[in-house]
Amino acid sequence: MNTFQRKSVPFCDVRCGQFAKKAVASFGIIYKLAPREKIISLPLEGAVRQEFIETADAVFKDVLDRIESKHPKLIRRMWNAESYIDNELLKPEMLPIDHYYALSLIDAFLVHHVIALAIKADEKD
């Protein structure tokens, strides 16, 4: 568990990679984060990889709802969080990178990936 603290709001424990983390990226809410080590090598492994996959899945659901696609079921079938995390999100030239900053990139870049999936789904129609 990671601890987040927002000024004038009591401490709340939130699993890193859940909605509070997305709020940091999406809405610019300022949280004081517990220190975390940098990511210095790829591919991500173990608990860190799982954290990134869970975050990508949560963000994917929100993005899919926001874009209001004509074919959401087809897009869900095309979505592969493991492949996105392993092959698309981080590149070796980005290393070393702060753990929390790397998590925020999921929210920043996944929307483009989901839109690309929506276009492919529309083309199959």
Side-chain angles (χ1 to χ4, degrees), residues 91-120:
K91 304 294 181 200
E93 58 270 11
M94 299 168 78
L95 302 178
I97 188 169
D98 179 75
H99 182 93
Y100 291 119
Y101 179 69
L103 274 173
S104 75
L105 294 178
I106 295 171
D107 199 38
F109 296 135
L110 189 59
V111 66
H112 304 289
H113 183 76
V114 176
I115 289 170
L117 292 177
I119 291 168
K120 287 180 187 176

Side-chain angles (χ1 to χ4, degrees), residues 57-89:
D57 278 334
V59 172
F60 171 80
K61 290 174 188 172
D62 287 347
V63 170
L64 188 58
D65 287 343
R66 284 188 303 213
I67 67 168
E68 299 177 1
S69 170
K70 290 189 270 183
H71 308 287
K73 290 180 183 177
L74 182 55
I75 295 170
R76 281 188 199 95
R77 280 184 284 192
M78 296 167 63
W79 167 243
N80 184 334
E82 292 87 358
S83 176
Y84 180 76
I85 296 302
D86 293 341
N87 303 315
E88 297 187 41
L89 181 66

